Amino acid sequence: MDFQDHFELGQLYANYASALSAGDWDAWPEFFTDECSYRLQPRENFERGFPLATLSFESKGMLKDRVYGIRETLFHDPYYQRHVVGAPVVKKAEADRFECEANYAVFRTKLSELSSVFNVGRYIDVVVRTEAGLRFSSRQVIYDSEMIPNSIIYPI
């Protein structure tokens, strides 16, 4: 893996976290390939090989449907999220394909309340080079605690 690939990979992770923290939901699907997988799953299910996931999307179209749902159909108390993502660890590098992991923490701030830790875990990703740059072809979001306050509305 050369410096340019390493730099672009770091930018992909940083830009992803920045877009989600800013609530730029329209940008979220654009971090993925058209044929992609995004799964949000508790650690216990993942480690035991159980397929049950809290959220599971199998294409960019499904991610766009989720964005529509966030904007048009979901009603909840407003809150902000702040994503803090560690540097990606490259587990395997091929010409235009990288298998990576990164730890993350998501903090939530409701209006007139203190910020709190909302969700913590790790990303297990497959990143591929496309004409538009690096994109996720697979993102598994493995969260550590089975306890989720209320529900997961926004992407992690």
Side-chain angles (χ1 to χ4, degrees):
M1 175 172 219
D2 64 18
F3 175 79
Q4 185 64 30
D5 289 339
H6 189 0
F7 175 77
E8 288 178 32
L9 195 59
Q11 287 297 110
L12 176 66
Y13 279 75
N15 290 336
Y16 180 94
S18 179
L20 293 185
S21 292
D24 187 358
W25 310 126
D26 291 327
W28 178 56
E30 301 310 315
F31 288 99
F32 294 84
T33 59
D34 288 340
E35 299 299 319
C36 64
S37 172
Y38 176 91
R39 291 177 51 83
L40 180 68
Q41 186 176 31
R43 181 178 183 166
E44 183 177 8
N45 285 3
F46 175 77
E47 289 179 351
R48 291 182 175 189
F50 296 157
L52 184 63
T54 306
L55 295 174
S56 182
F57 305 118
E58 296 300 325
S59 69
K60 186 188 279 191
M62 291 179 80
L63 300 180
K64 289 179 178 181
D65 284 347
R66 182 63 179 190
V67 169
Y68 176 82
I70 290 169
R71 291 192 183 283
E72 303 296 331
T73 65
L74 298 177
F75 298 98
H76 59 87
D77 289 338
Y79 64 87
Y80 304 107
Q81 288 188 158
R82 180 72 49 205
H83 292 70
V84 179
V85 179
V89 175
V90 179
K91 300 290 188 170
K92 185 176 181 182
E94 297 172 349
D96 290 325
R97 185 179 186 278
F98 307 99
E99 295 178 13
C100 310
E101 291 187 18
N103 295 322
Y104 73 84
V106 178
F107 298 88
R108 179 169 70 175
T109 305
K110 290 186 174 184
L111 304 178
S112 302
E113 291 185 22
L114 294 173
S115 297
S116 62
V117 177
F118 177 66
N119 193 282
V120 175
R122 66 183 167 139
Y123 298 122
I124 301 174
D125 300 316
V126 175
V127 176
V128 296
R129 183 170 304 287
T130 70
E131 291 180 5
L134 295 180
R135 297 291 184 264
F136 297 107
S137 68
S138 172
R139 171 154 269 198
Q140 293 183 73
V141 183
I142 310 301
Y143 56 93
D144 289 339
S145 174
E146 290 187 16
M147 301 301 291
I148 300 172
N150 296 329
S151 63
I152 301 285
I153 295 169
Y154 302 128
I156 299 290

